[in-house]
Amino acid sequence: MREGLFSQPLYWLSRGTVYLGLLLKYRMRVTGREHVPAKGGAVIAANHCSYLDPPVMAGCNNRRIVHFLARDTLFSNPVARWFFPRVGVIALDRTRGDLGALKKAIATLKEGKVVGLFPEGTRSPDGQMREAKGGIGFLIAKGGVPVVPLYISGTHQAFPKGSHRLQPSRITAHFGPVITLEEIRAAMPDKGGYEAVGALVMQRIRELAPPGAAD
């Protein structure tokens, strides 16, 4: 049974439409879905180089609703302001440390829900992975939930940063084994070592990439 099927029909309708579009246009292939917990709070963390990455992350999760953090400028028109909150998107002001958004994301995790994160914070201009932003490790550590690494390929070729047109590509999404709470705690040398958590997550994402793809 899908999470929130009857209470969140708009999400599942939108997700289904996105998934169908990705299958038809990009022949999207998903592996490792079994690594996503069937219930309970979890973070899904992926590399980020295209506006297509959030739709891919949502589309390849067929039983859990994914709540995203998105910059508040995406809420600038009436349609977006109506739609995004109704499908679980949390607005984030990236011009300052938005503690309110972080607290809301942490609360969402503690409610047993899934939050989708892109630890790099913004799209990579060349498709190569960057380091995690500082607040990501804090959110993960305070959320107290396991992390599922996800490596997405093909979206940079399909719709890179700065592009205004979709290009032919083949998109794949590969989930890896869960990063457990024990691993997350062990990565922190002290109570303020949140950067180490972000580094651990990025390393586990890199390990899912084909050789040379994440250099």
Side-chain angles (χ1 to χ4, degrees), residues 83-128:
F83 178 76
F84 283 144
R86 286 168 173 78
V87 292
V89 177
I90 303 167
L92 173 68
D93 184 351
R94 293 197 314 193
T95 64
R96 59 183 177 84
D98 194 342
L99 290 178
L102 290 178
K103 287 180 179 178
K104 188 170 183 180
I106 292 168
T108 300
L109 292 171
K110 291 187 178 296
E111 290 170 1
K113 299 175 181 178
V114 173
V115 172
L117 297 178
F118 298 96
E120 296 158 282
T122 189
R123 292 166 294 156
S124 168
D126 58 7
Q128 301 305 308

Side-chain angles (χ1 to χ4, degrees), residues 23 70 72 75 80 94 127 145 169 174 181 184 191 204 206 210:
L23 283 177
D72 55 0
F75 291 69
R94 293 197 314 193
V145 297
S169 184
H174 180 45
L181 285 174
I184 292 168
K191 291 185 178 180
R204 292 288 287 271
R206 284 188 182 93

Side-chain angles (χ1 to χ4, degrees), residues 115-154:
V115 172
L117 297 178
F118 298 96
E120 296 158 282
T122 189
R123 292 166 294 156
S124 168
D126 58 7
Q128 301 305 308
M129 291 176 62
R130 303 307 202 245
E131 299 304 316
K133 294 294 184 182
I136 295 299
F138 173 83
L139 194 162
I140 291 170
K142 292 298 183 182
V145 297
V147 178
V148 183
L150 169 66
Y151 182 76
I152 299 171
S153 65

Side-chain angles (χ1 to χ4, degrees), residues 60-102:
C60 62
N61 280 278
N62 59 353
R63 291 190 178 276
R64 301 299 305 271
I65 293 174
V66 183
H67 300 262
F68 291 100
L69 286 166
R71 68 175 191 266
D72 55 0
T73 54
L74 295 177
F75 291 69
S76 58
N77 66 74
V79 174
R81 285 196 297 272
W82 179 88
F83 178 76
F84 283 144
R86 286 168 173 78
V87 292
V89 177
I90 303 167
L92 173 68
D93 184 351
R94 293 197 314 193
T95 64
R96 59 183 177 84
D98 194 342
L99 290 178
L102 290 178

